Amino acid sequence: MVKTIRLFGTLFSMSVRRSVTFRADLLFEFVVTVVAGAASLAALGVVYTRTDSLGGWSAGEAIALLGTFQIVSGLRAALVEPNLRWFGEQVKSGEFDALLIQPAPAILLASLGTYAPLALLQVALGFGVVCYGLAHAAIGVTLTGVVAWLVLVLTATIITWATRVLFSSVVFWALGLSLDVVYEAVWQFARYPVQLYTTPLRLLLSYGFPVALVATVPADVLARGGGLMAVPVALAVAAGAGTIALYVWRAGLRRYTSATS
């Protein structure tokens, strides 16, 4: 375990050094991140010019939710997407074979072996948006609420990783099938409170594909005083999602035949 942690620490360090080498990219990424964040806030602001509540959420609460979504999205973009976005092509071309002989679990190398550190700018922006939302709504947060929120953000990241692995593992059974577009479309539902959607869709996003745990539940605990019972539930869901992802991955590997053999 210690060797694995050191390995991924080294890989992340290499990614950071590679990224900061291109300072123009760093500046461009910063500008794009700020513009995208401002556009999201502006769009939410337009909605609240027509209503005082969105699914029972005030403007400040919804902004805190948006910031939480941006944090988890930034972690996904920095840690997961640089790997699984190209996973299907790696399997088709045979590049995946090289991961199977490395001295580390293949599932970790395939899903967390490469990083995009510049995407962490979105995480920093997300924290700023959360603080702005709390200040906008004059919400007094507690230490317990902040700790619970941080734990829920961590579990949301784990669930994001696990579900992304599940969607990507489909390539083991259907080589030409990619569900990346579907995953991205479903992911965008997490940008708004799940209470906004119709009951069937809300149930699906809460229990089928746990989009509610990405931003709605963490923001509810932080900004609206939601019950702390959400923490153990989210931890259980994260553990279950990780276990299922590992099981499906292993089942997929048993079906995999080297593209280079």
Side-chain angles (χ1 to χ4, degrees), residues 155-166:
T155 60
T157 304
I158 295 173
I159 292 169
T160 297
W161 168 81
T163 53
R164 193 69 177 90
V165 169
L166 284 171

Side-chain angles (χ1 to χ4, degrees), residues 6-7 25 34 37 39 57 71-72 80 110 115 128 135 139 153 163 171 187 192 202 222 230 242 256 261:
R6 289 178 60 187
L7 171 62
D25 290 349
V34 171
W57 291 63
I71 291 171
V72 180
V80 181
Y115 308 100
I139 297 172
V153 168
T163 53
V171 72
W187 178 262
Y192 302 103
R202 183 166 64 248
L222 178 66
Y256 176 71
S261 62

Side-chain angles (χ1 to χ4, degrees), residues 63-155:
I63 291 172
L65 186 152
L66 177 62
T68 303
F69 173 77
Q70 290 174 335
I71 291 171
V72 180
S73 294
L75 291 171
R76 172 192 162 200
L79 306 177
V80 181
E81 286 304 317
N83 302 279
L84 294 180
R85 183 182 303 160
W86 315 109
F87 180 66
E89 292 301 322
Q90 290 179 327
V91 172
K92 295 176 188 178
S93 66
E95 294 178 16
F96 178 62
D97 296 355
L99 296 181
L100 298 177
I101 61 175
Q102 299 298 319
I107 187 173
L108 295 181
L109 289 174
S111 61
L112 297 170
T114 303
Y115 308 100
L118 296 183
L120 293 177
L121 292 171
Q122 185 176 350
V123 177
L125 177 65
F127 276 105
V129 172
V130 170
C131 292
Y132 172 70
L134 296 176
H136 183 277
I139 297 172
V141 298
T142 63
L143 178 60
T144 301
V146 172
V147 172
W149 175 75
L150 289 172
V151 172
L152 288 168
V153 168
L154 176 61
T155 60

Side-chain angles (χ1 to χ4, degrees), residues 2-243:
V2 174
K3 290 182 178 179
T4 301
I5 293 174
R6 289 178 60 187
L7 171 62
F8 284 97
T10 301
L11 291 173
F12 185 81
S13 177
M14 292 173 59
S15 296
V16 171
R17 291 197 296 270
R18 184 169 57 248
S19 297
V20 298
T21 301
F22 304 98
R23 298 181 182 179
D25 290 349
L26 178 61
L27 177 61
F28 181 75
E29 185 72 24
F30 175 77
V31 172
V32 169
T33 300
V34 171
V35 170
S40 297
L41 280 174
L44 198 59
V46 169
V47 172
Y48 276 97
T49 60
R50 299 291 183 178
T51 180
D52 295 327
S53 175
L54 191 64
W57 291 63
S58 68
E61 293 167 349
I63 291 172
L65 186 152
L66 177 62
T68 303
F69 173 77
Q70 290 174 335
I71 291 171
V72 180
S73 294
L75 291 171
R76 172 192 162 200
L79 306 177
V80 181
E81 286 304 317
N83 302 279
L84 294 180
R85 183 182 303 160
W86 315 109
F87 180 66
E89 292 301 322
Q90 290 179 327
V91 172
K92 295 176 188 178
S93 66
E95 294 178 16
F96 178 62
D97 296 355
L99 296 181
L100 298 177
I101 61 175
Q102 299 298 319
I107 187 173
L108 295 181
L109 289 174
S111 61
L112 297 170
T114 303
Y115 308 100
L118 296 183
L120 293 177
L121 292 171
Q122 185 176 350
V123 177
L125 177 65
F127 276 105
V129 172
V130 170
C131 292
Y132 172 70
L134 296 176
H136 183 277
I139 297 172
V141 298
T142 63
L143 178 60
T144 301
V146 172
V147 172
W149 175 75
L150 289 172
V151 172
L152 288 168
V153 168
L154 176 61
T155 60
T157 304
I158 295 173
I159 292 169
T160 297
W161 168 81
T163 53
R164 193 69 177 90
V165 169
L166 284 171
F167 272 68
S168 298
S169 296
V170 171
V171 72
F172 289 127
W173 285 269
L175 191 61
L177 180 62
S178 173
L179 298 179
D180 290 358
V181 175
V182 176
Y183 187 89
E184 188 62 37
V186 175
W187 178 262
Q188 294 304 320
F189 282 106
R191 186 182 296 272
Y192 302 103
V194 293
Q195 293 85 353
L196 177 65
Y197 307 117
T198 60
T199 299
L201 184 56
R202 183 166 64 248
L203 292 175
L204 177 63
L205 296 177
S206 298
Y207 303 105
F209 188 90
V211 167
L213 292 175
V214 172
T216 297
V217 172
D220 181 62
V221 170
L222 178 66
R224 307 178 78 208
L228 295 180
M229 189 60 191
V231 175
V233 172
L235 288 171
V237 173
T243 301

